Amino acid sequence: MSDYKTGENALSILVQGTAGFDGKNVDIAKWSLLNSGNSDHYAIIKQGEVTREWLTLRMIQVKNRSVVEVWQRKKDDTATYNELLSHVDNITARIDTYRMLGDDSGTVYDANVTGSGVVTEQWRNNSDGPSWLKKDIYVDWSEQNVITLTE
């Protein structure tokens, strides 16, 4: 029924097309990427909330949320913060221009960035200060599925 992976993969391709991002620093649910040394910034996509509602007796609409975690390695407080916000703005602007996430399979009906989280500090150890800054981008998108009833 739900084809979440199709939409998630389309989102990953969009993020990889954003300035400063590519297949080396964007992945789906792969946090080990942060230790790869490929970049000082990363985008990791994960599934968020999912809701379902019946539109007709045989059609269901699935509302998906994908979360794009944008990570920036800490160098200098202000510079790191500004770089993180710039990456978030660039990714958001790119997604805004693709209302179906670039999906040509017909899975994604509508997609948009509905908000973002607060900037958080991510710590490696308790004594050495934050190693990363992170901000989440919330991408909500829907798909519709025809259900074959058995009764």
Side-chain angles (χ1 to χ4, degrees):
M1 285 200 275
S2 175
D3 196 7
Y4 175 78
K5 295 302 290 179
T6 298
E8 188 176 59
N9 287 332
L11 178 59
S12 177
I13 291 167
L14 275 182
V15 174
Q16 289 177 39
T18 305
F21 291 90
D22 57 30
K24 294 179 182 175
N25 62 350
V26 177
D27 213 326
I28 296 170
K30 187 175 179 185
W31 290 273
S32 60
L33 194 63
L34 298 171
N35 298 322
S36 69
N38 290 338
S39 181
D40 68 347
H41 60 281
Y42 296 88
I44 299 173
I45 300 166
K46 66 180 183 180
Q47 185 175 26
E49 297 85 13
V50 177
T51 59
R52 299 163 39 101
E53 67 179 291
W54 287 95
L55 299 178
T56 69
L57 179 61
R58 295 187 55 228
M59 182 174 286
I60 194 165
Q61 179 164 284
V62 180
K63 295 180 180 178
N64 296 290
R65 170 169 282 179
S66 296
V67 179
V68 181
E69 297 180 345
V70 183
W71 295 77
Q72 178 65 53
R73 182 172 294 284
K74 186 175 179 307
K75 297 171 266 189
D76 168 81
D77 287 339
T78 303
T80 302
Y81 178 77
N82 289 336
E83 287 175 29
L84 174 67
L85 295 182
S86 177
H87 292 314
V88 168
D89 287 346
N90 291 340
I91 292 170
T92 299
R94 180 157 172 84
I95 295 169
D96 283 347
T97 64
Y98 288 87
R99 290 300 301 258
M100 292 187 293
L101 301 179
D103 171 46
D104 59 3
S105 73
T107 298
V108 178
Y109 275 79
D110 189 29
N112 57 71
V113 174
T114 56
S116 62
V118 299
V119 174
T120 59
E121 303 87 7
Q122 305 297 311
W123 301 69
R124 240 188 351 228
N125 297 315
N126 290 333
S127 61
D128 68 353
S131 300
W132 297 90
L133 293 182
K134 179 178 79 84
K135 187 171 177 71
D136 294 341
I137 302 171
Y138 307 124
V139 182
D140 292 342
W141 56 277
S142 61
E143 59 180 296
Q144 295 177 354
N145 299 298
V146 175
I147 307 299
T148 302
L149 301 174
T150 57
E151 60 180 6

